[in-house]
Amino acid sequence: QMRKQGLDLRRVAVVADTLDDIVKEVGEQSRQFDVVVTSGGVGPTHDDVTIRAVASALGREMERNEKMVRMIEDASGGKPITEDQAKMAMLPEGVRLRTLPETKWPILQAENVFVLPGVPAFFSSKLDLILANFINNDRQIFTRQIVLTVPEEKIVSSLNQAVSKFPSVSFGSYPVIDDPEFKTIVTLEGDDEDLVEQAREDLAKRMKPETIVRRPSKDLSNMLK
């Protein structure tokens, strides 16, 4: 999703539900990167400590957010919030509740940190909204690919030569398992379309013509996930 918008994913960290560990990781990433997205730990139970950790990592106090209180009450048909719900209204001071017409619940943003739920479907849908509405990026990424009938180990030398020749182009090599037609897919990505095409042509010339699949007979996108 991020690559489609020209964003480079620089780090993925898996951290236990431990306050100090999350504080350290969020703090380091917030200082090093333009945007940080957290996943999970946003509920009312004892192990939901992500929001407190984000506050601590950014040097902010936790406070009762009245806008969140009203949203919870509206979702409950106007009933006063319960003790458990009140925990969900305790947010870092100065947090932004990013809302859109198509969302029932807001997206929490504290400085450059977006706090998302851990349920995969909810995380994915909210990440789509963040990328579409709250992150401005005009960089366009151009992609090419070469599909081969030979296994990955047969192209190591040629691939390394192309990688050295085109350092600003990102190369990826993906072995294909249990397919009679395809053995390797090489992807090329970059923000200069002409350069990406030059790199593709260069790499193709290094391959034996009979090993290149010119028109694959099937959709290859699932093989790259």
Side-chain angles (χ1 to χ4, degrees):
Q1 291 168 303
M2 293 182 176
R3 289 299 291 164
K4 289 179 181 178
Q5 291 201 206
L7 300 173
D8 294 322
L9 180 60
R10 302 299 298 275
R11 180 186 294 177
V12 176
V14 179
V15 184
D17 291 324
T18 306
L19 186 66
D20 290 344
D21 291 341
I22 301 174
V23 169
K24 180 180 178 182
E25 187 64 39
V26 170
E28 289 180 355
Q29 291 205 29
S30 178
R31 290 187 293 271
Q32 292 182 40
F33 305 118
D34 296 326
V35 177
V36 179
V37 179
T38 70
S39 171
V42 297
T45 60
H46 70 284
D47 58 346
D48 290 314
V49 297
T50 299
I51 294 177
R52 282 195 288 133
V54 169
S56 181
L58 300 178
R60 299 188 178 201
E61 297 293 331
M62 293 285 285
E63 65 179 9
R64 179 182 168 104
N65 188 287
E66 294 303 326
K67 182 177 179 180
M68 179 62 93
V69 170
R70 291 192 298 272
M71 295 185 74
I72 294 174
E73 289 177 341
D74 289 343
S76 302
K79 297 178 181 178
I81 62 174
T82 65
E83 182 178 348
D84 288 338
Q85 290 173 329
K87 295 177 183 177
M88 299 177 66
M90 293 295 296
L91 303 176
E93 60 181 356
V95 71
R96 299 182 68 180
L97 301 181
R98 310 296 295 260
T99 58
L100 293 165
E102 61 267 41
T103 60
K104 178 179 179 181
W105 291 106
I107 296 171
L108 275 61
Q109 180 185 358
E111 297 183 20
N112 63 337
V113 180
F114 289 91
V115 183
L116 301 190
V119 178
F122 296 156
F123 176 88
S124 180
S125 63
K126 288 189 179 294
L127 182 59
D128 284 341
L129 293 172
I130 290 172
L131 295 175
N133 297 278
F134 304 134
I135 296 179
N136 297 320
N137 185 60
D138 296 328
R139 181 176 176 231
Q140 185 175 359
I141 295 297
F142 301 95
T143 63
R144 298 289 188 275
Q145 66 180 22
I146 298 177
V147 183
L148 301 167
T149 61
V150 292
E152 196 174 31
E153 60 267 21
K154 297 291 186 180
I155 66 166
V156 173
S157 177
S158 297
L159 181 58
N160 286 343
Q161 292 172 29
V163 169
S164 297
K165 186 175 179 179
F166 297 91
S168 62
V169 175
S170 177
F171 291 78
S173 179
Y174 303 88
V176 179
I177 308 300
D178 297 329
D179 190 283
E181 185 178 3
F182 314 125
K183 298 301 180 184
T184 307
I185 301 173
V186 179
T187 62
L188 302 88
E189 298 182 343
D191 55 13
D192 185 325
E193 187 174 19
D194 291 338
L195 196 60
V196 172
E197 180 58 27
Q198 290 174 29
R200 187 201 65 80
E201 292 175 354
D202 180 89
L203 181 58
K205 290 177 181 178
R206 300 177 189 276
M207 305 295 172
K208 294 180 180 180
E210 64 271 19
T211 67
I212 300 176
V213 181
R214 303 293 178 180
R215 294 183 178 180
S217 60
K218 64 181 72 172
D219 180 12
L220 305 176
S221 58
N222 288 333
M223 298 181 183
L224 301 177
K225 293 181 179 179

Short mmCIF file of all heavy atoms in Angstrom, two decimals, residues 87-114:
data_model
loop_
_atom_site.label_atom_id
_atom_site.label_comp_id
_atom_site.label_asym_id
_atom_site.label_seq_id
_atom_site.Cartn_x
_atom_site.Cartn_y
_atom_site.Cartn_z
N LYS A 87 -11.82 4.61 30.04
CA LYS A 87 -10.40 4.33 29.82
C LYS A 87 -10.02 4.60 28.37
O LYS A 87 -8.91 5.04 28.08
CB LYS A 87 -10.11 2.87 30.18
CG LYS A 87 -10.30 2.54 31.65
CD LYS A 87 -10.05 1.06 31.90
CE LYS A 87 -10.30 0.69 33.36
NZ LYS A 87 -10.11 -0.77 33.61
N MET A 88 -10.96 4.34 27.45
CA MET A 88 -10.68 4.55 26.03
C MET A 88 -10.70 6.03 25.67
O MET A 88 -10.26 6.41 24.57
CB MET A 88 -11.70 3.78 25.20
CG MET A 88 -11.66 2.28 25.42
SD MET A 88 -12.92 1.37 24.48
CE MET A 88 -12.38 1.67 22.80
N ALA A 89 -11.22 6.86 26.57
CA ALA A 89 -11.24 8.31 26.32
C ALA A 89 -10.01 9.00 26.90
O ALA A 89 -9.86 10.21 26.75
CB ALA A 89 -12.51 8.94 26.89
N MET A 90 -9.16 8.24 27.58
CA MET A 90 -7.90 8.80 28.10
C MET A 90 -6.86 8.72 26.99
O MET A 90 -6.43 7.64 26.58
CB MET A 90 -7.45 8.01 29.33
CG MET A 90 -8.36 8.16 30.52
SD MET A 90 -8.39 9.87 31.16
CE MET A 90 -6.69 10.07 31.70
N LEU A 91 -6.47 9.89 26.50
CA LEU A 91 -5.59 9.97 25.33
C LEU A 91 -4.43 10.93 25.60
O LEU A 91 -4.50 11.74 26.53
CB LEU A 91 -6.37 10.45 24.11
CG LEU A 91 -7.60 9.63 23.71
CD1 LEU A 91 -8.31 10.30 22.53
CD2 LEU A 91 -7.20 8.20 23.35
N PRO A 92 -3.37 10.87 24.80
CA PRO A 92 -2.26 11.82 24.98
C PRO A 92 -2.76 13.25 24.78
O PRO A 92 -3.60 13.52 23.92
CB PRO A 92 -1.28 11.42 23.87
CG PRO A 92 -1.61 10.00 23.55
CD PRO A 92 -3.09 9.87 23.76
N GLU A 93 -2.26 14.17 25.59
CA GLU A 93 -2.67 15.56 25.47
C GLU A 93 -2.31 16.08 24.07
O GLU A 93 -1.26 15.76 23.52
CB GLU A 93 -1.99 16.42 26.53
CG GLU A 93 -0.48 16.41 26.48
CD GLU A 93 0.15 17.25 27.57
OE1 GLU A 93 -0.61 17.90 28.31
OE2 GLU A 93 1.39 17.26 27.68
N GLY A 94 -3.24 16.85 23.50
CA GLY A 94 -2.99 17.42 22.18
C GLY A 94 -3.17 16.46 21.03
O GLY A 94 -2.87 16.80 19.88
N VAL A 95 -3.68 15.25 21.29
CA VAL A 95 -3.86 14.28 20.21
C VAL A 95 -4.88 14.79 19.20
O VAL A 95 -5.82 15.52 19.55
CB VAL A 95 -4.31 12.92 20.79
CG1 VAL A 95 -5.74 12.98 21.29
CG2 VAL A 95 -4.17 11.81 19.74
N ARG A 96 -4.68 14.42 17.95
CA ARG A 96 -5.64 14.78 16.91
C ARG A 96 -6.53 13.57 16.62
O ARG A 96 -6.03 12.46 16.41
CB ARG A 96 -4.92 15.19 15.62
CG ARG A 96 -4.02 16.39 15.77
CD ARG A 96 -3.37 16.78 14.46
NE ARG A 96 -4.34 17.31 13.51
CZ ARG A 96 -4.01 17.72 12.28
NH1 ARG A 96 -2.76 17.63 11.86
NH2 ARG A 96 -4.94 18.21 11.48
N LEU A 97 -7.83 13.80 16.62
CA LEU A 97 -8.77 12.75 16.25
C LEU A 97 -9.18 13.00 14.81
O LEU A 97 -10.03 13.84 14.51
CB LEU A 97 -9.99 12.77 17.18
CG LEU A 97 -9.68 12.57 18.68
CD1 LEU A 97 -10.97 12.59 19.49
CD2 LEU A 97 -8.93 11.27 18.90
N ARG A 98 -8.54 12.27 13.91
CA ARG A 98 -8.77 12.48 12.48
C ARG A 98 -10.02 11.72 12.06
O ARG A 98 -10.09 10.49 12.18
CB ARG A 98 -7.56 12.01 11.66
CG ARG A 98 -6.21 12.55 12.14
CD ARG A 98 -6.10 14.05 12.04
NE ARG A 98 -6.13 14.52 10.68
CZ ARG A 98 -5.03 14.86 9.98
NH1 ARG A 98 -3.82 14.75 10.52
NH2 ARG A 98 -5.13 15.32 8.75
N THR A 99 -11.02 12.45 11.58
CA THR A 99 -12.28 11.82 11.19
C THR A 99 -12.57 12.06 9.71
O THR A 99 -12.13 13.04 9.12
CB THR A 99 -13.45 12.39 12.02
OG1 THR A 99 -13.51 13.80 11.84
CG2 THR A 99 -13.26 12.07 13.50
N LEU A 100 -13.32 11.13 9.15
CA LEU A 100 -13.77 11.21 7.77
C LEU A 100 -15.23 10.77 7.73
O LEU A 100 -15.68 10.01 8.61
CB LEU A 100 -12.93 10.31 6.86
CG LEU A 100 -11.46 10.73 6.68
CD1 LEU A 100 -10.67 9.59 6.07
CD2 LEU A 100 -11.37 11.97 5.80
N PRO A 101 -15.99 11.20 6.74
CA PRO A 101 -17.41 10.82 6.67
C PRO A 101 -17.64 9.31 6.68
O PRO A 101 -18.65 8.84 7.21
CB PRO A 101 -17.88 11.44 5.35
CG PRO A 101 -16.95 12.58 5.13
CD PRO A 101 -15.62 12.14 5.66
N GLU A 102 -16.69 8.56 6.11
CA GLU A 102 -16.90 7.12 6.00
C GLU A 102 -16.42 6.33 7.21
O GLU A 102 -16.48 5.10 7.22
CB GLU A 102 -16.20 6.58 4.74
CG GLU A 102 -14.69 6.78 4.70
CD GLU A 102 -14.29 8.05 3.98
OE1 GLU A 102 -14.95 9.08 4.18
OE2 GLU A 102 -13.31 8.01 3.23
N THR A 103 -15.94 7.01 8.26
CA THR A 103 -15.43 6.31 9.42
C THR A 103 -16.31 6.53 10.63
O THR A 103 -16.78 7.64 10.90
CB THR A 103 -13.99 6.77 9.77
OG1 THR A 103 -14.01 8.17 10.05
CG2 THR A 103 -13.04 6.48 8.62
N LYS A 104 -16.53 5.46 11.39
CA LYS A 104 -17.31 5.55 12.61
C LYS A 104 -16.44 6.05 13.75
O LYS A 104 -16.88 6.84 14.58
CB LYS A 104 -17.90 4.18 12.96
CG LYS A 104 -18.71 4.16 14.25
CD LYS A 104 -19.27 2.77 14.52
CE LYS A 104 -20.06 2.73 15.82
NZ LYS A 104 -20.59 1.37 16.10
N TRP A 105 -15.20 5.55 13.80
CA TRP A 105 -14.28 5.93 14.86
C TRP A 105 -13.13 6.74 14.27
O TRP A 105 -12.72 6.52 13.14
CB TRP A 105 -13.73 4.69 15.57
CG TRP A 105 -14.77 3.98 16.38
CD1 TRP A 105 -15.37 2.81 16.06
CD2 TRP A 105 -15.33 4.40 17.62
NE1 TRP A 105 -16.28 2.48 17.02
CE2 TRP A 105 -16.28 3.44 18.00
CE3 TRP A 105 -15.13 5.51 18.45
CZ2 TRP A 105 -17.02 3.53 19.17
CZ3 TRP A 105 -15.85 5.61 19.62
CH2 TRP A 105 -16.79 4.63 19.97
N PRO A 106 -12.59 7.66 15.06
CA PRO A 106 -11.51 8.50 14.54
C PRO A 106 -10.19 7.75 14.45
O PRO A 106 -10.01 6.69 15.07
CB PRO A 106 -11.41 9.62 15.58
CG PRO A 106 -11.83 8.95 16.86
CD PRO A 106 -12.92 8.00 16.45
N ILE A 107 -9.28 8.30 13.68
CA ILE A 107 -7.90 7.82 13.64
C ILE A 107 -7.09 8.72 14.56
O ILE A 107 -7.09 9.94 14.43
CB ILE A 107 -7.35 7.87 12.21
CG1 ILE A 107 -8.13 6.92 11.30
CG2 ILE A 107 -5.86 7.54 12.19
CD1 ILE A 107 -7.81 7.06 9.83
N LEU A 108 -6.41 8.12 15.52
CA LEU A 108 -5.63 8.88 16.49
C LEU A 108 -4.26 9.24 15.91
O LEU A 108 -3.55 8.36 15.39
CB LEU A 108 -5.42 8.08 17.78
CG LEU A 108 -6.52 8.15 18.85
CD1 LEU A 108 -7.84 7.61 18.29
CD2 LEU A 108 -6.11 7.40 20.09
N GLN A 109 -3.92 10.52 15.99
CA GLN A 109 -2.61 10.97 15.55
C GLN A 109 -1.99 11.85 16.62
O GLN A 109 -2.55 12.86 17.02
CB GLN A 109 -2.69 11.75 14.23
CG GLN A 109 -1.32 12.24 13.75
CD GLN A 109 -1.40 13.11 12.50
OE1 GLN A 109 -2.49 13.32 11.96
NE2 GLN A 109 -0.26 13.62 12.06
N ALA A 110 -0.80 11.46 17.08
CA ALA A 110 -0.03 12.26 18.03
C ALA A 110 1.30 12.58 17.36
O ALA A 110 2.12 11.69 17.13
CB ALA A 110 0.20 11.49 19.33
N GLU A 111 1.48 13.85 17.00
CA GLU A 111 2.64 14.28 16.23
C GLU A 111 2.71 13.45 14.94
O GLU A 111 1.76 13.45 14.16
CB GLU A 111 3.91 14.22 17.07
CG GLU A 111 3.88 15.16 18.27
CD GLU A 111 5.15 15.16 19.08
OE1 GLU A 111 6.21 14.75 18.56
OE2 GLU A 111 5.10 15.58 20.25
N ASN A 112 3.80 12.72 14.71
CA ASN A 112 3.91 11.95 13.48
C ASN A 112 3.57 10.47 13.68
O ASN A 112 3.93 9.62 12.87
CB ASN A 112 5.32 12.07 12.89
CG ASN A 112 6.40 11.49 13.80
OD1 ASN A 112 6.20 11.38 15.01
ND2 ASN A 112 7.54 11.15 13.23
N VAL A 113 2.87 10.16 14.76
CA VAL A 113 2.51 8.78 15.08
C VAL A 113 1.01 8.58 14.91
O VAL A 113 0.21 9.28 15.53
CB VAL A 113 2.92 8.41 16.52
CG1 VAL A 113 2.55 6.97 16.83
CG2 VAL A 113 4.41 8.64 16.73
N PHE A 114 0.64 7.62 14.07
CA PHE A 114 -0.75 7.22 13.91
C PHE A 114 -0.97 5.94 14.70
O PHE A 114 -0.21 4.97 14.56
CB PHE A 114 -1.09 6.97 12.44
CG PHE A 114 -1.14 8.22 11.60
CD1 PHE A 114 -0.01 8.67 10.93
CD2 PHE A 114 -2.32 8.95 11.47
CE1 PHE A 114 -0.06 9.82 10.15
CE2 PHE A 114 -2.38 10.10 10.70
CZ PHE A 114 -1.24 10.54 10.04
#
